[in-house]
């Protein structure tokens, strides 16, 4: 068993002097922990820790402990070796001892002569078994603990092994101090052992050791992953400068028709609004209540995604209302919706062999003939026409229910989904590419229907899928953006800019406002970045995934994809709005940076959420919602429920400055007595010691700190108690929440 335990927080020792043990690699007999648990070792610990993905990270303040047990451990050993990284200001603060049920062993402090300091900031320690176990008693545990009070800065430990003998360059046995007197022998009972197994017959002989079968496993263990030495960084939070209110609707998620009935964690994220949307919403038949078409996503089949024969769209509204979420509802404007829940567009029995068929419904083909040409379907095979009057009746039904209940059911209506992809996603009923004129015409007719039914409605559109759709139409995509015939026919003006210009002209002419919020989708186009759980996680892709968030806002960032220019999505569209149709809001109707189960996906998610508030968006909707316990899940919780009790990022966005590789987002409440900040360490290997300057915020009267890093959830950690200045250690690739109560400075008279 390996136990790590820390002393109480208090005064910190002086800086650690240089290690004096010559470097040398001992022969390994048994691996307890090297990047992960060794064979036969188990984790029975309770201390705050991150393990299993490289060096173990600990908070050794507050008497926490890490317990690793290895029942049946046998063999003879020459000593204990491990490597550690800790702030130099801790001084020599570690002690090592063995342990066993009912046994007593000396406590041995790790001193300069016991460690060799490496240039990368790590120290390698080796303690001879003659000091740890002078009596040769049986043992089944190792204990590494703080021998004096330390602050809660991270301590990294790795390569914990029992050795066969001393390292080749270690001091001779005569140089080893004699065993401590009996008064220094540990009489402390076995510490918080989860498994009270009897001690194995592990005879510890201080001299040579016989070869062990475990040596082969030790040799095959992966090399330890090293972190760079702790580096300094700075963050400034400006409480005295300009601030703007953050829309609560930037923390939105989407409805997953297939999984909504079985999942429940989508309601644990702290999301503020749910969007009914996606490819299937284009063909949803509200009159049926449960009929969608899968389109290109799955063999162009009509289906009840939920599997519930009694499902009705009102259940979605009711579920949101019961949990305090607002609703964003996509209404179909393409012109066709599913007629039932069983038809499909390309029956093999009618069209012949196709390149792929539904494995669960082998007559349903993918609409690509065996020779590779695209088949043409009859729209009426699966669908019925849906006119503006049909959408109007849907909104009327919603509003009638609202009046009976006394509250609004839909916060925002969204005009369909990704119209510049209709000719591919829904090619069975809309084979021709959508043009500038078609999308504008359908906006005018269907948005007017929504406005008639709900004069106070918030209407969003045109739900464009990405960069090519902002710039041109599906016609331009078909013929190539060098030719861009549709765009050239409309003054060579980017589609979205032209669209806003025309809607502004319509309102000026008729007095009818048909668009309140500009809605676009954003997915990073870089190779391997992915969406949702999909995405590569090699170091290069992970780094590009995090950098890709800069396309949302940074004019200096050149997109690392086929786009190969500065996207600066939010500033670009805000400029178009200001020029063509002032007063419109901006929503990112779908977004994801992929690999949500990997830490890089979590960091990218947190970065995006912070930018949405900082950049003053109206709303944003993750597609669809992160997996429970994933890093992306904890990214949402960092902003919306970091303590599990409703603690959240606050209502007013504050200006921040941060030195690389830190991103910082800060907020305050209405009264300026509560400040919450989210700090991100964007570096995968660098531990950062961050000085936080609270400019104009006042003195801190209460502080809580929550942290999430690789292979761990978001949990409260001890963060210190400075009054005027704050320091915070950020582990590599981590999310840290600072929740501060402050006494604002008195205004000058």
């Amino acid at each position: 068993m390996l136990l790590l335990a820390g002393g109480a927080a208090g005064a910190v020792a002086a800086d650690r002097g240089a290690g004096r043990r010559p470097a040398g690699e001992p022969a390994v007999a048994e691996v307890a922990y090297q990047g992960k648990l060794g064979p036969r070792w188990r984790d029975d610990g309770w201390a705050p820790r991150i393990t299993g993905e490289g060096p173990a990270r600990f908070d050794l303040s507050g008497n926490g402990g890490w317990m690793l047990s290895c029942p049946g451990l046998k063999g003879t050993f020459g000593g204990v070796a491990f490597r550690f990284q800790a702030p130099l200001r801790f001084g020599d603060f570690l002690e090592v001892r063995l342990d066993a049920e009912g046994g007593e062993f000396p406590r041995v402090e790790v001193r300069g002569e016991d460690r060799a300091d490496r240039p990368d900031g790590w120290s390698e320690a080796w303690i001879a078994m003659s000091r740890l176990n002078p009596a040769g008693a049986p043992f089944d545990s190792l204990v590494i603990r703080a021998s004096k009070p330390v602050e809660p800065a991270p301590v990294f430990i790795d390569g914990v092994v029992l050795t066969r003998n001393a390292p080749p360059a270690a001091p001779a046995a005569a140089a080893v101090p004699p065993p401590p007197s009996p008064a220094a022998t540990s009489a402390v009972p076995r510490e918080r052992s989860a498994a009270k197994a009897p001690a194995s017959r592990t005879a510890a002989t201080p001299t040579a050791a016989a070869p062990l079968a475990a040596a082969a496993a030790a040799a095959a263990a992966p090399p330890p992953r090293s972190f760079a030495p702790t580096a300094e960084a700075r963050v400034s939070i400006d409480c005295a400068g300009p601030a703007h209110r953050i829309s609560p609707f930037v923390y939105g998620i989407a409805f997953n028709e297939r999984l909504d009935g079985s999942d429940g964690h989508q309601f644990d994220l702290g999301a503020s609004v749910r969007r009914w949307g996606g490819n299937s919403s284009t063909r949803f038949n509200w009159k049926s209540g449960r009929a969608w078409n899968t389109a290109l996503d799955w063999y162009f089949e009509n289906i009840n995604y939920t599997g519930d024969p009694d499902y009705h769209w009102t259940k979605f509204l009711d579920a949101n209302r019961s949990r305090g979420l607002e609703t964003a509802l996509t209404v179909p404007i393409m012109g066709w919706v599913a007629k039932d829940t069983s038809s499909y567009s390309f029956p093999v029995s009618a069209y012949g062999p196709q390149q792929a068929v539904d494995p669960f419904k082998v007559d349903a083909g993918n609409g690509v003939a065996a020779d590779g040409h695209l088949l043409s379907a009859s729209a009426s095979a699966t669908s019925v026409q849906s006119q503006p009057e049909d959408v109007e009746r849907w909104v009327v039904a919603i509003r009638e229910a609202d009046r009976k209940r006394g509250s609004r059911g839909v916060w925002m209506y969204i005009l369909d989904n990704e119209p510049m992809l209709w000719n591919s996603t829904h090619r069975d009923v809309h084979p021709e590419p959508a043009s500038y004129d078609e999308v504008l015409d359908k906006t005018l007719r269907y948005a007017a229907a929504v406005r008639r039914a709900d004069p106070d409605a918030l209407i969003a559109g045109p739900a464009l899928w990405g960069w090519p759709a902002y710039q041109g139409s599906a016609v331009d995509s078909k013929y190539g953006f060098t030719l861009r015939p549709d765009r050239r026919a409309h003054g060579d003006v980017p589609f979205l800019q032209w669209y806003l210009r025309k809607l502004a002209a319509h309102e000026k002419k008729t007095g009818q406002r048909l668009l309140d919020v500009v809605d676009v989708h954003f997915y990073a186009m870089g190779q391997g970045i992915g969406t949702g759980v999909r995405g590569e996680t090699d170091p290069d892709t992970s780094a590009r995934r995090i950098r890709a968030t800069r396309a949302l806002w940074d004019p200096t960032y050149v997109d690392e994809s086929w786009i190969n220019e500065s996207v600066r999505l939010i500033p670009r569209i805000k400029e178009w709005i200001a020029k063509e149709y002032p007063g419109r809001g901006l929503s990112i109707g779908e977004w994801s940076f992929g690999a949500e189960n990997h830490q890089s996906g979590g960091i990218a998610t947190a970065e995006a959420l912070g930018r949405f508030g900082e950049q003053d968006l109206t709303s944003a909707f993750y597609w669809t919602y992160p997996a429970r316990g994933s890093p992306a899940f904890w990214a949402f919780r960092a902003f919306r429920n970091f303590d599990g009790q409703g603690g959240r990022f606050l209502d007013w966005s504050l200006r921040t400055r941060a030195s690389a590789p830190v991103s910082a987002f800060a907020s305050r409440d209405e009264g300026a007595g509560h400040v919450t900040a989210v700090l991100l360490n964007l570096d995968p290997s660098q531990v950062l010691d961050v000085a936080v300057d609270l400019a104009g915020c006042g003195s801190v009267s209460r502080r809580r700190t929550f942290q999430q890093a690789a292979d761990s959830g978001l949990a409260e950690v001890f963060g210190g108690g400075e009054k005027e200045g704050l320091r915070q250690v950020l582990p590599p690739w981590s999310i840290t929440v600072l929740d501060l109560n402050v006494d604002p400075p008195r205004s000058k008279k």
Side-chain angles (χ1 to χ4, degrees), residues 260-552:
D260 195 65
S262 57
D263 283 348
H265 70 273
Q266 64 270 37
F267 300 110
D268 297 334
L269 289 160
S272 53
V273 57
R274 278 207 303 169
R275 169 180 172 261
W276 171 292
N279 291 340
S280 62
S281 63
T282 295
R283 308 262 289 273
F284 179 72
N285 187 332
W286 76 273
K287 295 176 184 176
S288 164
R290 62 191 68 87
W292 290 268
N293 183 276
T294 61
L296 182 65
D297 294 341
W298 191 261
Y299 303 100
F300 302 93
E301 298 176 19
N302 288 351
I303 193 173
N304 174 1
Y305 266 117
T306 70
D308 177 2
D310 298 322
Y311 187 82
H312 195 266
W313 55 266
T314 54
K315 290 188 176 182
F316 172 75
L317 303 185
D318 292 342
N320 288 348
R321 187 182 307 107
S322 68
R323 292 171 172 84
L325 277 71
E326 295 289 352
T327 293
L329 184 72
T330 297
V331 296
I333 73 170
M334 185 181 68
W336 294 94
V337 297
K339 68 180 184 181
D340 55 33
T341 59
S342 58
S343 301
Y344 41 97
S345 290
F346 299 104
V348 174
S349 57
Y351 290 89
Q354 296 169 49
Q355 289 191 347
V357 297
D358 181 349
F360 306 102
K361 189 184 294 184
V362 294
D363 191 46
N366 69 344
V368 183
D371 63 4
H373 78 272
L374 298 181
L375 300 172
S376 297
S378 169
S380 61
T382 59
S383 304
V384 294
Q385 289 190 337
S386 175
Q387 301 295 338
E389 293 74 22
D390 296 303
V391 170
E392 183 175 357
R393 283 191 283 271
W394 190 10
V395 179
V396 166
I398 292 170
R399 294 300 288 145
E400 287 178 350
D402 291 349
R403 282 187 282 274
K404 291 178 182 178
R405 188 177 51 253
S407 62
R408 174 174 283 277
V410 174
W411 169 68
M412 174 191 283
Y413 296 94
I414 304 170
L415 301 176
D416 215 287
N417 183 76
E418 300 180 343
M420 297 308 180
L421 295 178
W422 284 343
N423 62 310
S424 56
T425 306
H426 302 281
R427 65 179 179 82
D428 56 328
V429 297
H430 194 290
E432 293 302 315
S435 66
Y436 277 50
D437 292 334
E438 179 186 357
V439 176
L440 177 64
D441 173 68
K442 287 182 171 174
T443 295
L444 293 174
R445 293 190 295 119
Y446 285 84
V450 174
R451 185 68 74 203
R452 286 193 299 270
D454 187 353
D456 298 323
L458 192 69
I459 302 175
L464 301 175
W465 74 267
W467 180 255
Y470 315 152
Q471 302 292 337
S473 70
V475 174
D476 294 318
S477 181
K478 177 180 179 179
Y479 291 100
F481 283 93
T482 300
L483 294 175
R484 56 181 187 278
D486 200 19
R487 174 166 162 164
R488 289 184 189 276
H490 294 82
D492 206 16
V493 177
F495 169 73
L496 185 54
Q497 185 178 357
W498 176 89
Y499 178 84
L500 293 171
R501 182 181 300 173
K502 289 298 182 180
L503 289 173
H506 174 83
E507 180 175 353
K508 184 176 181 180
K509 179 179 178 180
T510 66
Q512 186 180 46
R513 188 182 72 256
L514 296 182
L515 189 76
D516 301 289
V517 178
V518 178
D519 180 40
V520 298
H521 298 175
F522 180 82
Y523 293 105
M525 294 289 103
Q527 183 177 356
I529 290 178
T531 63
V533 298
R534 298 186 299 276
E536 301 299 322
T537 57
D538 59 276
D540 175 70
T541 306
S542 296
R544 285 189 292 108
R545 173 175 294 111
I546 295 172
R547 290 198 300 270
T549 61
R550 292 168 58 192
L552 292 168

Side-chain angles (χ1 to χ4, degrees), residues 20-53:
R20 299 187 296 279
R21 185 179 70 79
E25 293 294 331
V28 175
E30 180 75 33
V31 175
Y33 186 90
Q34 186 158 291
K36 61 181 180 179
L37 291 173
R40 302 183 297 125
W41 292 80
R42 72 171 184 246
D43 185 342
D44 292 326
W46 72 91
R49 66 197 182 280
I50 300 170
T51 64
E53 197 174 90

